[in-house]
Amino acid sequence: MASDCEPALNQAESRNPTLERYLGALREAKNDSEQFAALLLAVKAGDIDAKTRRRIFDAVGFTFPNRLLTTKEAPDGCPDHVLRALGVALLACFCSDPELAAHPQVLNKIPILSTFLTARGDPDDAARRSMVDDTYQCLTAVAGTPRGPRHLIAGGTVSALCQAYLGHGYGFDQALALLVGLLAAAETQCWKEAEPDLLAVLRGLSEDFQKAEDASKFELCQLLPLFLPPTTVPSECLRDLQAGLARILGSKLSSWQRNPALKLAARLAHACGSDWIPAGSSGSKFLALLVNLACVEVRLALEETGTEVKEDVVTACYALMELGIQECTRCEQSLLKEPQKVQLVSIMKEAIGAVIHYLQQVGPEKQKEPFVFASVRILGAWLAEETSSLRKEVCQLLPFLVRYAKTLYEEAEEANDLSQQVATLAISPTTPGPTWPGDALRLLLPGWCHLTVEDGPREILIKEGAPSLLCKYFLQQWELTSPGHDTSVLPDSVEIGLQTCCHIFLNLVVTAPGLIKRDACFTSLMNTLMASLPSLVQQQGRLLLAANVATLGLLMARLLSTSPALQGTPASRGFFAAAILFLSQSHVARATPGSEQAVLALSPDYEGVWADLQELWFLGMQAFTGCVPLLPWLAPAALRSRWPQELLQLLGSVSPNSVKPEMVAAYQGVLVELARANRLCREAMRLQAGEETASHYRMAALEQCLAEP
């Protein structure tokens, strides 16, 4: 093979003997002057194609350009920057070879090259301009290599590019182009290394955007999403961006002008919610305009058959619709007035109808496409707040939604990847934030929670196997919060998802008790609840989840009371002990100034969450009461925990007027069932002045029960 190639190679070399002679002189040069002269002759003698550049590099190496870049003593009459310009020109020539662009000798020049971008000098000097162009050529070539962006960021290039752009000197447009490339390739690292400089660029771009009256404002719409930080966007930037968008979207535009503006607005909604929109009439009109435009775009894209859907634009419109849903359901400090809310809900309903129509056409081959995921997401956001409208269409779609959620649940890694792709599709090449959860099922949980209350949708969900899927999902998510996992790094959405699952199961316990008794998945769920509650009630900051688990477990225990797992096993005893702890610690006696008697008050841990907790607490008390006659071992266990004695002691130490009637009823229910179930409980209550306390609180049933032998 080599013998076949050698004649061809020799023939190619013999075509330009002059070039060969100068390359030989270049290799044999004894000093910089001879090397430089031979280099110029070699360049003039041959066409500078890739092969020639590589042969020149083989002859010169990095030593000569290194000296040119770092020399501090130039010949008489020769400005210092001229030699550096020659060195950069050589590097630019070499960097056109991707292999050389990734060479360590090029990478270690990044800090030096970065300083050339902001060096002061005569802006009209041709050598300086050439050096700037060559510098950008070198840095751009490095950025195009696999690990180039990382090296550029570490070498201070991002800050240098920002300063070069803000200085608006020669080549500043090249600085912006290279910045865009680096942000697209490594956004997080760029912001970590150069946040102050990038924010300065954002301020400049935002101001330009607000002032622009020509076509440049549409170009800025495409650039600005890349420069929004992963943390807080400066308020002055938000003002400029909103003002610029208001002028653009309030005008009559073609789609190519409007779409980048909608995507920028979606990116701002994703990053800041509605905080970037000013309060007052102007802000409410702007928000209404945004949501209106988004809904129109969605309907045009999804209702017309045979047209190509611009998925990135429609997904951005989904984000704006989601912002509209949030504002329409906000009770306090909403940007919208009631008439605007009514109007927008009607408009969004039509757009959601188009989304449902689209999803009805999705076949199995498209289920893993990011746009389908985005469409399910916006439908989930709508169903979380509104299930009464489009009832028929939603019910028809439920089988698809269950199958879709099951498919992605079974391929969890792909579901997470889809979430990443949706964020990219909708907004920018940035990483998704917490508003883009990594699985389809979590998106649908709030809506399913509402639907399981209604007979028709609930029957469809049960028929399609949703309860079994939810049980598996709950158990999987619960593993993430179990000992051995770092719960501090878990997003809040995991715990919220677990709580919503509990609400769905509570609905099923109440409306479909037969399902709980016959489906084996609920036995596994009960076992998990019993095993988990004892440690959960001890954990700070997780009281609401503990309330959900305790109440659900107590209600399920009534239905599964004949299960061997509930017949006084260690797990069942541990669960009920933890449930008693949750129920008994909610209230305390609190002294009040100027009063001899204390009052019944919420304990400190319960005060902050009682609004969300109280319904579960009362339901839990009722469920515990129902378990007592079904589980003979439970009353003695409660007596050993001293709950009935401490409860009577608490009631005896506070003013009866401070105990609300519903609290009296809940306490009496538990005490009566414990007294009826066990003689020792009755005796203990009598010793704790139970009859007297019952009389003070007019607990007739308890008073009668304690009067019996």
Side-chain angles (χ1 to χ4, degrees):
M1 188 73 180
S3 60
D4 293 337
C5 293
E6 284 174 4
L9 182 60
N10 292 334
Q11 183 179 3
E13 291 178 352
S14 64
R15 289 175 186 168
N16 197 336
T18 304
L19 173 63
E20 297 304 314
R21 186 168 64 254
Y22 290 144
L23 287 174
L26 189 57
R27 286 188 289 268
E28 296 171 4
K30 297 177 181 177
N31 53 51
D32 288 350
S33 298
E34 292 181 8
Q35 197 166 32
F36 184 54
L39 178 63
L40 290 176
L41 292 171
V43 170
K44 290 180 180 180
D47 296 328
I48 304 299
D49 56 15
K51 290 183 179 179
T52 303
R53 281 194 296 268
R54 186 58 189 242
R55 297 189 67 202
I56 292 174
F57 166 74
D58 290 339
V60 175
F62 282 109
T63 304
F64 184 45
N66 285 352
R67 286 201 298 274
L68 290 174
L69 288 172
T70 58
T71 184
K72 295 181 180 179
E73 296 182 3
D76 292 340
C78 177
D80 293 345
H81 70 271
V82 171
L83 294 183
R84 289 195 292 273
L86 291 172
V88 177
L90 271 177
L91 279 185
C93 178
F94 297 158
C95 284
S96 59
D97 182 335
E99 185 178 341
L100 291 179
H103 194 285
Q105 285 285 354
V106 171
L107 299 179
N108 67 22
K109 303 298 183 301
I110 289 174
I112 298 176
L113 293 172
S114 297
T115 62
F116 296 162
L117 300 179
T118 55
R120 296 181 179 180
D122 183 359
D124 297 323
D125 187 293
R128 286 191 180 277
R129 287 181 171 235
S130 177
M131 182 171 72
V132 170
D133 287 334
D134 290 336
T135 299
Y136 282 118
Q137 184 177 335
C138 291
L139 297 175
T140 302
V142 172
T145 63
R147 305 179 74 177
R150 189 184 73 174
H151 289 292
L152 290 174
I153 294 167
T157 303
V158 176
S159 291
L161 290 170
C162 292
Q163 293 165 25
Y165 173 74
L166 293 170
H168 275 66
Y170 179 76
F172 78 98
D173 53 335
Q174 298 180 71
L176 185 62
L178 188 49
L179 265 178
V180 167
L182 290 177
L183 283 167
E187 180 198 32
T188 302
Q189 292 88 340
C190 286
W191 281 100
K192 184 178 179 181
E193 290 294 327
E195 181 172 348
D197 295 302
L198 286 169
L199 286 176
V201 173
L202 174 61
R203 290 187 182 94
L205 292 173
S206 301
E207 188 175 348
D208 292 344
F209 179 62
Q210 192 270 336
K211 294 178 179 178
E213 298 290 346
D214 55 12
S216 65
K217 60 187 175 184
F218 303 114
E219 297 172 4
L220 286 168
C221 274
Q222 297 177 335
L223 285 178
L224 278 162
L226 287 162
F227 287 88
L228 295 178
T231 53
T232 305
V233 182
S235 58
E236 65 270 25
C237 296
L238 293 178
R239 285 194 299 270
D240 287 341
L241 293 173
Q242 189 276 330
L245 281 171
R247 279 211 311 276
I248 290 176
L249 294 173
S251 306
K252 200 168 184 179
L253 302 171
S254 62
S255 59
W256 73 266
Q257 295 170 322
R258 181 177 59 252
N259 292 346
L262 289 173
K263 292 170 73 173
L264 173 58
R267 180 69 175 87
L268 288 167
H270 174 70
C272 310
S274 61
D275 292 345
W276 61 288
I277 302 175
S281 175
S282 63
S284 64
K285 289 179 181 178
F286 175 70
L287 177 57
L289 173 65
L290 272 183
V291 179
N292 263 295
L293 290 173
C295 291
V296 169
E297 193 71 34
V298 168
R299 292 188 65 189
L300 287 174
L302 301 184
E303 288 181 349
E304 295 182 9
T305 56
T307 59
E308 183 180 355
V309 177
K310 295 179 180 177
E311 296 179 350
D312 57 338
V313 178
V314 176
T315 310
C317 291
Y318 287 165
L320 296 175
M321 286 175 59
E322 192 164 342
L323 178 62
I325 292 170
Q326 292 169 359
E327 284 300 313
C328 284
T329 55
R330 180 178 292 181
C331 297
E332 297 180 359
Q333 297 182 333
S334 174
L335 293 171
L336 300 170
K337 297 178 180 178
E338 282 305 314
Q340 290 175 311
K341 291 182 179 181
V342 173
Q343 183 183 21
L344 285 183
V345 167
S346 176
I347 293 169
M348 288 191 289
K349 174 184 172 182
E350 294 175 348
I352 291 297
V355 174
I356 293 175
H357 171 74
Y358 165 76
L359 290 174
Q360 287 171 336
Q361 320 303 317
V362 172
E365 72 282 357
K366 288 190 173 183
Q367 286 193 9
K368 296 180 183 178
E369 293 184 2
F371 184 66
V372 175
F373 188 93
S375 301
V376 171
R377 172 188 167 80
I378 187 60
L379 178 59
W382 172 264
L383 292 177
E385 305 296 343
E386 173 58 60
T387 56
S388 60
S389 60
L390 300 170
R391 178 80 57 84
K392 179 181 176 182
E393 292 84 351
V394 170
C395 287
Q396 290 174 344
L397 191 64
L398 278 179
F400 164 80
L401 293 177
V402 175
R403 291 194 301 271
Y404 180 76
K406 183 177 181 181
T407 298
L408 294 195
Y409 167 76
E410 291 173 348
E411 302 175 20
E413 290 186 3
E414 290 194 31
N416 187 61
D417 183 56
L418 274 178
S419 177
Q420 300 272 344
Q421 293 179 53
V422 168
T424 302
L425 182 68
I427 301 158
S428 74
T430 60
T431 54
T435 55
W436 300 92
D439 60 75
L441 191 51
R442 194 180 304 158
L443 306 174
L444 297 169
L445 289 177
W448 286 7
C449 187
H450 299 313
L451 292 170
T452 48
V453 177
E454 305 172 24
D455 293 340
R458 182 176 63 252
E459 289 174 5
I460 296 172
L461 288 169
I462 292 173
K463 180 182 177 182
E464 295 297 327
S468 176
L469 174 62
L470 287 168
C471 283
K472 293 176 183 176
Y473 177 78
F474 181 90
L475 297 177
Q476 180 211 54
Q477 294 292 295
W478 191 263
E479 280 297 312
L480 299 176
T481 69
S482 61
H485 291 80
D486 184 2
T487 57
S488 64
V489 300
L490 287 178
D492 292 340
S493 55
V494 171
E495 188 150 319
I496 293 172
L498 288 170
Q499 292 176 24
T500 310
C501 280
C502 288
H503 295 166
I504 295 174
F505 295 141
L506 286 170
N507 290 341
L508 294 175
V509 167
V510 174
T511 60
L515 174 69
I516 308 299
K517 293 178 180 180
R518 69 173 180 266
D519 198 321
C521 70
F522 287 101
T523 301
S524 299
L525 176 62
M526 186 70 215
N527 291 335
T528 298
L529 299 179
M530 289 195 299
S532 305
L533 187 62
S535 62
L536 185 60
V537 294
Q538 304 289 343
Q539 297 175 28
Q540 289 291 327
R542 308 190 74 190
L543 184 57
L544 196 53
L545 181 59
N548 278 277
V549 170
T551 304
L552 175 61
L554 290 169
L555 284 168
M556 288 180 63
R558 288 196 311 181
L559 299 176
L560 302 174
S561 60
T562 58
S563 167
L566 285 163
Q567 306 311 310
T569 60
S572 63
R573 290 180 181 275
F575 169 78
F576 276 94
I580 288 172
L581 194 63
F582 159 67
L583 295 171
S584 65
Q585 291 187 338
S586 61
H587 291 78
V588 294
R590 182 173 298 166
T592 55
S595 175
E596 294 182 0
Q597 271 193 304
V599 297
L600 188 70
L602 287 168
S603 61
D605 289 342
Y606 286 67
E607 280 182 319
V609 293
W610 186 248
D612 298 318
L613 192 68
Q614 60 178 334
E615 187 177 350
L616 289 168
W617 186 87
F618 282 108
L619 194 57
M621 290 288 284
Q622 182 182 347
F624 185 93
T625 300
C627 287
V628 173
L630 299 174
L631 301 171
W633 60 269
L634 183 54
L639 182 62
R640 285 193 295 273
S641 74
R642 294 193 53 79
W643 184 26
Q645 301 96 309
E646 291 174 358
L647 180 51
L648 288 168
Q649 183 180 1
L650 175 64
L651 291 173
S653 65
V654 300
S655 169
N657 293 331
S658 69
V659 185
K660 295 179 180 179
E662 60 268 26
M663 294 294 299
V664 173
Y667 286 146
Q668 178 177 224
V670 169
L671 291 170
V672 166
E673 286 301 330
L674 290 174
R676 286 174 179 169
N678 187 270
R679 177 180 58 81
L680 294 177
C681 280
R682 291 195 296 274
E683 292 178 0
M685 291 182 195
R686 293 191 191 104
L687 291 174
Q688 196 63 51
E691 292 173 291
E692 182 181 351
T693 301
S695 176
H696 285 161
Y697 286 89
R698 298 180 181 178
M699 297 179 176
L702 179 60
E703 195 172 2
Q704 181 182 353
C705 185
L706 294 180
E708 297 173 358

